[in-house]
Amino acid sequence: MDLILQAWGGGFYLLNKIFFAFAEGSNEQNKRKLRIAGWAVYLLGLPAWVIILIGKHDWMAAAIEAGGAPAMLFGLINAYRGELAPSRRFDRIISFFTYSFLALGISYSLYDYGGLTSLSQLLEIGVVIGFLVGSYLLAKKNSKGWLFFMLMNISTGSLMLLQDKYLLAGQQLVSLCFVMYGFSVVLRSRRADSSKN
């Protein structure tokens, strides 16, 4: 069952990074389709990741994954509608839901471990920051989200390696390559735009 969960969660999250990376260099019509696909597969991989993280007592990472579902949904809706920003009400709901889950995850992790006492908890902090900020920025089509995804991939890959989840550790390494590719496409595009002006 563990390998099935790793393949399920890791496969969908890898597809997410692939779709997002290729969206950066595409025309507007293909970019929209790739972003829709990217957010959709992220949501499909979410349950497997939450199950794996809870099973390893990675409470902060599990909480941010579960609590980040509205942000992913926001990204999917924005990609579908072609909008840059949600309504203020929807933005507040997303923030409340995400931060509430994060507060619960951090609190329970501190309770379960008796404080901030393990390397896995420190790696989870990197996962949380990378996921939360990266997803939010990319949902708003801000390319700096790629940098936070790099932090998330490195932290998650290290955490999975530490916990003998080798398939997921490898998936995070491959994902990191696509994240770096996506960010490099954005940088090249900006350089090309600035040289035209």
Side-chain angles (χ1 to χ4, degrees), residues 12-32:
F12 280 117
Y13 274 31
L14 178 58
L15 283 173
N16 162 263
K17 301 302 184 307
I18 292 169
F19 289 142
F20 278 3
F22 288 131
E24 291 297 346
S26 297
N27 62 40
E28 284 306 311
Q29 184 180 8
N30 286 337
K31 185 179 288 194
R32 181 174 172 265

Side-chain angles (χ1 to χ4, degrees), residues 6-167:
Q6 287 187 60
W8 169 17
F12 280 117
Y13 274 31
L14 178 58
L15 283 173
N16 162 263
K17 301 302 184 307
I18 292 169
F19 289 142
F20 278 3
F22 288 131
E24 291 297 346
S26 297
N27 62 40
E28 284 306 311
Q29 184 180 8
N30 286 337
K31 185 179 288 194
R32 181 174 172 265
K33 288 177 185 175
L34 288 166
R35 284 188 176 145
I36 289 169
W39 287 113
V41 296
Y42 218 142
L43 284 165
L44 291 172
L46 178 68
W49 270 101
V50 172
I51 292 167
I52 289 166
L53 294 168
I54 287 173
K56 286 294 187 177
H57 293 235
D58 296 328
W59 304 113
M60 288 184 267
I64 199 62
E65 289 286 348
M72 289 184 233
L73 186 58
F74 159 59
L76 178 61
I77 291 168
N78 277 355
Y80 181 76
R81 290 183 178 172
E83 296 175 359
L84 288 175
S87 69
R88 289 187 86 134
R89 178 184 290 180
F90 192 58
D91 199 22
R92 286 184 186 138
I93 291 169
I94 291 169
S95 297
F96 174 78
F97 195 75
T98 302
Y99 290 119
S100 296
F101 263 77
L102 180 57
L104 286 170
I106 291 170
S107 299
Y108 195 74
S109 180
L110 295 173
Y111 168 77
D112 189 34
Y113 285 87
L116 191 58
T117 61
S118 73
L119 176 58
S120 66
Q121 286 175 295
L122 293 175
L123 291 171
E124 283 184 84
I125 291 170
V127 173
V128 166
I129 292 168
F131 175 81
L132 185 62
V133 178
S135 296
Y136 189 74
L137 289 175
L138 286 180
K140 289 192 165 204
K141 298 180 183 175
N142 183 328
S143 62
K144 290 179 183 161
W146 288 108
L147 296 173
F148 287 93
F149 269 16
M150 288 179 202
L151 171 64
M152 179 185 67
N153 284 129
I154 292 166
S155 299
T156 305
S158 300
L159 181 64
M160 294 299 103
L161 196 59
L162 181 70
Q163 297 177 345
D164 301 325
K165 302 285 187 192
Y166 301 114
L167 184 60

